[in-house]
Amino acid sequence: MSQGVLLVDDNDSIRTQLRELLEGEGFRVDTAANGAEALGWLQAAKEMPGVILLDLTMPDMNGSQFLALRRMDPRLQGIPVVVLSGSLQQWTEKLSGADHVLAKPVDPDSLAELVMRYCGVPASQAHPERQD
């Protein structure tokens, strides 16, 4: 089970905030600013992430377009996708292929719990140091 996360969001501050949150939980986090950048990263990756965190509203290639292309690539089909969006109402019918949906602003505990569900418990948490 991969403990890597691919975070796809066009908002720099959200990417930074969620990356720091997940890295603080012990996950390896790579980022992309849109769906096209994410597909390029995935095509070049030697190891697939355990989960993709995907915003919906992005320039160049939005989340719905990314999901449609992901479904056509056998190498990517098995990677769980958690959609993160502040505008879910307009996308409801276009979320085919998403494994889970979280509304923005994202609750940090809910996000960490979902990532652990797909990626497992990070090694840094699996064996906590004993406190005598």
Side-chain angles (χ1 to χ4, degrees), residues 55-130:
D55 185 25
L56 292 178
T57 308
M58 299 178 287
D60 299 323
M61 180 187 294
N62 66 38
S64 179
Q65 293 165 324
F66 174 86
L67 287 170
L69 290 170
R70 174 187 156 266
R71 281 192 302 273
M72 293 188 280
D73 187 335
R75 187 170 174 232
L76 306 180
Q77 289 173 353
I79 304 170
V81 175
V82 175
V83 167
L84 310 173
S85 182
S87 56
L88 293 175
Q89 295 295 80
Q90 70 178 1
W91 293 98
T92 304
E93 70 281 354
K94 298 180 180 181
L95 291 178
S96 177
D99 294 278
H100 202 92
V101 177
L102 285 178
K104 288 181 181 176
V106 175
D107 175 63
D109 293 333
S110 297
L111 180 62
E113 181 181 308
L114 263 177
V115 171
M116 279 189 237
R117 181 185 309 169
Y118 294 118
C119 297
V121 177
S124 62
Q125 291 185 16
H127 305 291
E129 295 180 6
R130 291 180 49 193

Side-chain angles (χ1 to χ4, degrees), residues 4-61:
V5 175
L6 177 57
L7 171 59
V8 188
D9 197 306
D10 62 319
N11 185 306
D12 290 338
S13 63
I14 290 174
R15 275 198 321 270
T16 299
Q17 178 186 18
L18 295 180
R19 178 183 212 156
E20 288 174 357
L21 167 77
L22 293 170
E23 286 177 343
E25 294 288 334
F27 295 102
R28 186 185 77 252
V29 181
D30 291 289
T31 62
N34 59 56
E37 192 177 306
L39 281 177
W41 185 92
L42 288 163
Q43 290 167 348
K46 290 183 171 77
E47 180 182 342
M48 292 292 108
V51 66
I52 298 169
L53 305 179
L54 180 68
D55 185 25
L56 292 178
T57 308
M58 299 178 287
D60 299 323
M61 180 187 294

